[in-house]
Amino acid sequence: MMDAVIDVGSNTVRMLIGECRDDSVFPKSYERRITRLAGGISAQSALAAAGMQRTLEALEAFSEIIATHKINKIRAVGTAALRRAGNRQSFIDQVQSATNLNIEVIAGQEEARLMAKGVLSVVRPLPAAAMIIDIGGGSTEFVCLQNGLVQHQHSYQLGVVLLSEDYPASAPRKAHIDNILNQFEKALAERGIRDRSYQLIGTAGTITTLAAMQLELKKYDYTKINNHRLTARWMEEAYQKLEPMPVSERESLVGMETGRGDLIIPGLEILLQLLKRFACSEMIVADSGLLEGLLLDLSAAS
């Protein structure tokens, strides 16, 4: 019997139905909807009605799909947007009433742990020193590992939806990214792990979209995304090409997902700064992440 896991993210809501064997995930069904839950979040950190409605409709659709399968256990989690939102309980109650799904809001540290677990299930071979980055809509998670063991993990309020809306101009946006990465580097230095030669591993929508664009995938295929390598040079060229384009033109490109045209630029700005700071010439891409980590955890608890 299979399990079902749902990630209510700041930009995207995703669901994975499958089973786990020998620490590997075997997917049966995968669904995703860009609902931009964090879009238009108010100064009082309240979710906007439109974002909540789009997300509720996606979760209602997911609930109907779950009903067509024989499911053992279900776990739904909320991340940065719901951590931040003062009106999250009202939204969670609304979802519970409409779908019978109970959304559990997890801390950034737990999100980072689960994301790393999912990533490590597909990256082969695992580098001796690895830095995993998960760029989400409302936050970015970093996990540093040595020989597969976590040395440091932290979640920062550096999501692409928030960057796009709060810092529409490039210069202040880059300055904010620079400030957050300074904090990250300081944390590594304090732990004595700043100077390791890290292999960068990236997951989540910004990074998998870049891989799909480079591979010119007309239809997304996670088997081609896992362990694909993106070079710093290609990403710099992609940034120079995409930055002056209108959003509609970006979204017409092969591999670009509709609804991500304005978000790809702040995502690339994070990556390019990070690659430069740690002298990385390339990044390994992993399609697997938080959802797969959730499923692995759920299976292990059986």
Side-chain angles (χ1 to χ4, degrees):
M1 192 174 287
M2 296 176 293
D3 294 328
V5 291
I6 296 172
D7 164 26
V8 183
S10 301
N11 187 55
T12 310
V13 182
R14 304 178 301 141
M15 178 178 71
L16 176 64
I17 296 174
E19 58 184 335
C20 301
R21 298 190 300 273
D22 301 321
D23 294 325
S24 295
V25 172
F26 295 86
K28 175 68 176 178
S29 177
Y30 174 74
E31 299 288 335
R32 63 183 282 124
R33 304 275 195 283
I34 289 184
T35 66
R36 208 151 180 154
L37 180 60
I41 196 166
S42 73
Q44 293 76 34
S45 297
L47 298 169
M52 290 192 287
Q53 182 60 34
R54 290 190 298 266
T55 304
L56 177 61
E57 290 171 2
L59 291 169
E60 286 175 332
F62 289 179
S63 182
E64 291 174 4
I65 293 170
I66 288 173
T68 67
H69 295 275
K70 291 183 178 179
I71 301 297
N72 179 31
K73 287 184 292 185
I74 302 170
R75 188 181 183 195
V77 304
T79 54
L82 290 177
R83 284 197 293 267
R84 181 182 177 190
N87 60 342
R88 63 178 173 269
Q89 194 57 52
S90 174
F91 175 69
I92 289 169
D93 291 344
Q94 189 178 4
V95 170
Q96 169 78 35
S97 176
T99 68
N100 206 33
L101 293 171
N102 180 34
I103 300 174
E104 170 194 353
V105 181
I106 58 174
Q109 290 287 86
E110 176 67 356
E111 182 181 357
R113 181 189 73 82
L114 289 166
M115 175 272 291
K117 189 170 187 174
V119 168
L120 296 181
S121 72
V122 297
V123 172
R124 300 289 185 273
L126 185 67
M131 180 189 296
I132 303 174
I133 178 173
D134 178 340
I135 301 175
S139 65
T140 290
E141 282 68 50
F142 292 97
V143 181
C144 296
L145 305 105
Q146 183 72 29
N147 298 319
L149 300 176
V150 174
Q151 306 294 303
H152 178 75
Q153 61 186 44
H154 197 77
S155 177
Y156 293 91
Q157 196 167 308
L158 192 68
V160 288
V161 173
L162 300 185
L163 284 172
S164 177
E165 295 189 357
D166 294 352
Y167 301 91
S170 178
R173 186 171 61 240
K174 288 180 177 179
H176 179 68
I177 293 169
D178 189 60
N179 178 52
I180 295 294
L181 292 182
N182 283 340
Q183 295 176 37
F184 174 55
E185 283 198 85
K186 182 180 179 181
L188 294 188
E190 289 172 351
R191 297 179 68 90
I193 55 175
R194 167 61 185 87
D195 298 324
R196 294 182 182 175
S197 182
Y198 288 105
Q199 169 64 63
L200 190 61
I201 303 172
T203 188
T206 291
I207 296 163
T208 57
T209 294
L210 290 171
M213 291 176 66
Q214 187 182 44
L215 292 166
E216 297 184 341
L217 297 182
K218 293 181 180 179
K219 183 178 180 181
Y220 190 85
D221 184 348
Y222 74 91
T223 64
K224 293 179 180 178
I225 297 295
N226 282 330
N227 293 293
H228 179 69
R229 291 173 183 260
L230 288 170
T231 66
R233 180 176 178 178
W234 183 86
M235 284 188 276
E236 179 61 45
E237 290 173 351
Y239 180 78
Q240 296 302 327
K241 175 184 176 182
L242 292 168
E243 202 274 335
M245 283 185 183
V247 170
S248 58
E249 188 175 349
R250 292 175 196 156
E251 294 189 355
S252 70
L253 299 174
V254 175
M256 176 73 79
E257 185 179 22
T258 302
R260 200 172 289 280
D262 60 332
L263 307 180
I264 201 73
I265 296 303
L268 271 166
E269 288 170 350
I270 294 171
L271 291 171
L272 289 171
Q273 283 207 43
L274 189 69
L275 286 159
K276 183 177 181 180
R277 283 169 178 259
F278 288 86
C280 294
S281 61
E282 65 176 16
M283 176 178 62
I284 297 172
V285 182
D287 174 84
S288 294
L290 176 58
L291 273 182
E292 287 74 16
L294 279 166
L295 201 67
L296 287 163
D297 249 27
L298 204 56
S299 176
S302 298

